[in-house]
């Protein structure tokens, strides 16, 4: 089915040429739809990856509940310009659902937020705003009355990710095990430490809260002054350890290189971004975080560089079945870059602990 016909199902009339690919996420396919001047807004059209998000009803109901709850909070606070501060989903005309199934793919439409910037890298000042924004995001969702489902069960469960890694090593489907043996060993050495959060949870020492779980820097929109307008890409909002949001943001934003940098000399943990983000986050979140959560923030950063290295390498061993790749070695390049980042994070850990203690005081 043409994308313009899909848009018509959502009550928006455009030509095929008005719909162009945008964004560089690894999972869904995203398109910008230019609907003006005939319409008051432009739109984002997305093909949901239903091989990954297998329960699209639960996924979309999470997103509807989360956006409605945040909208309510912003209204109560008397915020201006609310349509630029929370995603607005568009309903399909005949079913009233927030997605449309064309017999093959699942599609959804959101209002395009104007005059906003997505970034792949940021300044310490932006990082401080981003920290506050994720703190507020978690705080706003802390009293959501609806049940938020795990749109991907056990998404950030490190023990499960390690089982998947171990299965991929055993199966060696793509015949790459020998080539990456040294990296496998270095990751396995760190496995027990990486699962600290699961251990603390079993001991009842660590809570789960509603988190975003994909706090990559390109999943937020900034305004021209560098302030965060809104958090987007809500597919993975679910109960998790707050480490997910804190750790995954710093994994992407505090990397001096790229997530898939071939030049490992560029990949280094950026302490200035770390400090600024942590300051912003704790300004808001120290009101609700427990001591165990705060103490383990440096661990959260290690955990997410580690988890991502494991996930990329698992996909490489499996023959690239999960992440979109641009070239055959892409997942291996990504895994090596994440591992280099992890080593850099490990070397900065004492400094990170010291900084967190200093702002707690
Ligand atoms: P993916 O799953 O592909 O990462 P995202 O929801 O993050 O999908 O969208 C990809 C990109 O599209 C974002 O990085 C952002 O630049 C842009 N985008 C998404 N939603 C909106 C929106 N409502 N308004 C403006 N831009 C958006
Ligand atoms: C995926 O869609 P995107 O690019 O925001 C992935 C994240 C990973 C990230 C790695 C559902 O996110 O968990 O951290 O790639 N999302 C899913 O860049 O697996
Ligand atoms: Mg995204």
């Amino acid at each position: 089915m043409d994308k313009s016909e899909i848009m018509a199902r959502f009550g928006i009339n455009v030509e095929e040429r008005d719909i162009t690919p945008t964004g560089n996420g690894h999972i869904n396919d995203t398109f910008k739809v230019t609907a003006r001047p005939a319409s008051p807004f432009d739109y984002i059209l997305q093909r949901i990856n239903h091989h990954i998000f297998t329960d699209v009803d639960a996924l979309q109901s999470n997103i509807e509940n989360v956006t409605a709850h945040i909208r309510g909070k912003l209204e109560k606070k008397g915020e201006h310009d609310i349509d630029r501060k929370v995603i607005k989903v568009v309903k399909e005309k005949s079913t009233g659902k927030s997605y449309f199934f064309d017999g093959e793919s699942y599609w959804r439409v959101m209002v395009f937020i104007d005059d906003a910037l997505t970034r792949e890298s940021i300044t310490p000042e932006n990082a401080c705003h981003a920290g506050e924004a994720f703190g507020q995001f978690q705080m706003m969702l802390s009293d959501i009355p609806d049940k938020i489902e795990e749109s991907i069960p056990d998404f950030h469960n490190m023990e499960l990710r390690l089982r998947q890694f171990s299965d991929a090593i055993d199966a060696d489907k793509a015949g790459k095990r020998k080539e990456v043996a040294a990296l496998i060993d270095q990751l396995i050495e760190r496995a027990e430490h990486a699962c600290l959060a699961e251990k603390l949870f079993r001991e009842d020492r660590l809570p789960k809260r509603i988190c975003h779980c994909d706090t990559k820097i390109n999943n937020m929109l900034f305004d021209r002054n560098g302030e965060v307008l809104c958090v987007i890409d809500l597919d993975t909002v679910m109960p998790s350890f707050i480490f997910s949001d804190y750790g995954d943001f710093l994994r992407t934003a505090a990397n001096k290189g790229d997530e898939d940098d071939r030049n490992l000399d560029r990949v280094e943990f950026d302490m200035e971004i770390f400090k600024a983000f942590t300051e912003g986050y704790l300004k808001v979140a120290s009101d609700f975080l427990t001591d165990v959560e705060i103490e383990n923030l440096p661990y959260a950063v290690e955990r997410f560089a580690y988890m991502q290295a494991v996930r990329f390498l698992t996909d490489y061993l499996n023959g690239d079945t999960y992440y979109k790749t641009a070239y055959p070695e892409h997942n291996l390049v990504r895994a090596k870059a994440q591992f280099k980042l992890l080593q850099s994070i490990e070397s900065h850990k004492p400094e990170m602990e010291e900084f967190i203690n200093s702002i707690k005081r």
Side-chain angles (χ1 to χ4, degrees), residues 25-27 52-53 152 155 214 216 219 233 236 248 251 259 308 311-312 322-323:
H26 300 338
I27 309 292
I52 291 178
F53 300 102
I152 301 177
F155 184 50
D214 191 10
K216 282 165 63 164
N219 284 335
D233 207 345
T236 52
D248 219 20
R251 177 186 74 78
E259 187 181 66
Q308 205 55 61
R311 290 179 64 192
F312 284 144
Y322 188 90
Y323 293 109

Side-chain angles (χ1 to χ4, degrees), residues 240-260:
S240 188
F241 310 123
I242 55 94
F243 301 160
S244 291
D245 290 355
Y246 180 83
D248 219 20
F249 181 86
L250 286 171
R251 177 186 74 78
T252 53
N255 181 353
K256 290 186 185 173
D258 298 323
E259 187 181 66
D260 58 353

Side-chain angles (χ1 to χ4, degrees), residues 77-331:
K77 267 203 322 200
E79 285 272 355
H80 299 288
D81 220 6
I82 291 180
D83 282 341
R84 299 178 73 228
K85 294 182 179 160
V86 61
I87 293 277
K88 191 171 193 174
V89 295
V90 180
K91 299 283 175 71
E92 199 267 341
K93 289 286 163 208
S94 62
T95 58
K97 291 191 177 195
S98 64
Y99 66 84
F100 170 64
F101 181 58
D102 68 3
E104 205 173 297
S105 301
Y106 291 83
W107 298 89
R108 67 180 168 208
V109 173
M110 294 166 272
V111 173
F112 182 82
I113 297 174
D114 258 330
D115 211 14
L117 307 171
T118 330
R119 296 161 186 262
E120 296 295 333
S121 68
I122 54 168
T123 62
E125 200 192 347
N126 303 148
C128 184
H129 294 316
E132 291 174 46
F134 280 117
Q136 267 148 12
F137 185 83
Q138 291 174 344
M139 198 154 74
M140 286 193 282
L141 293 179
S142 63
D143 61 350
I144 185 164
D146 318 276
K147 178 158 172 24
I148 300 298
E149 304 290 343
E150 290 197 357
S151 52
I152 301 177
D154 285 316
F155 184 50
H156 279 171
N157 181 331
M158 194 64 243
E159 292 172 343
L160 172 83
R161 295 298 177 191
L162 282 164
R163 283 199 293 280
Q164 291 171 334
F165 184 41
S166 162
D167 291 347
I169 297 167
D170 291 345
D172 195 20
K173 274 194 208 125
K176 306 282 189 194
R177 179 171 60 192
K178 263 209 181 124
E179 174 200 339
V180 297
L183 183 54
I184 292 177
D185 288 347
Q186 284 172 301
L187 288 170
I188 288 178
E189 264 170 39
R190 291 162 166 85
E192 192 184 332
H193 176 63
C195 297
L196 175 66
E198 285 73 18
K199 181 172 170 281
L200 291 171
F201 180 68
R202 271 195 294 276
E203 293 168 356
D204 246 352
R205 292 168 61 202
L206 185 67
K208 285 195 183 179
R209 306 177 192 273
I210 304 296
C211 295
H212 181 280
C213 292
D214 191 10
T215 52
K216 282 165 63 164
I217 179 159
N218 60 15
N219 284 335
M220 59 182 77
L221 301 177
F222 292 87
D223 70 10
R224 286 181 189 276
N225 303 321
E227 307 248 0
V228 178
L229 268 177
C230 129
V231 173
I232 59 169
D233 207 345
L234 304 174
D235 292 325
T236 52
V237 174
M238 65 176 96
S240 188
F241 310 123
I242 55 94
F243 301 160
S244 291
D245 290 355
Y246 180 83
D248 219 20
F249 181 86
L250 286 171
R251 177 186 74 78
T252 53
N255 181 353
K256 290 186 185 173
D258 298 323
E259 187 181 66
D260 58 353
D261 221 311
R262 286 174 181 279
N263 179 358
L264 295 181
D265 291 337
R266 291 187 63 228
V267 176
E268 216 191 305
F269 191 62
D270 186 331
M271 283 301 290
E272 291 314 304
I273 299 289
F274 160 81
K275 286 180 184 167
F277 179 74
T278 303
E279 216 174 313
Y281 178 64
L282 285 181
K283 206 190 279 176
V284 179
S286 55
D287 281 351
F288 62 85
L289 296 182
T290 66
D291 287 349
V292 172
E293 287 174 311
I294 296 177
E295 256 160 45
N296 284 294
L297 291 176
Y299 155 75
V301 192
E302 290 176 328
R303 175 178 166 91
F304 278 86
Y306 179 86
M307 188 183 296
Q308 205 55 61
V310 166
R311 290 179 64 192
F312 284 144
L313 193 58
T314 301
D315 202 32
Y316 184 65
L317 289 162
N318 284 337
D320 307 322
T321 57
Y322 188 90
Y323 293 109
K324 288 187 208 166
T325 50
Y327 53 90
E329 307 288 298
H330 203 167
N331 273 318

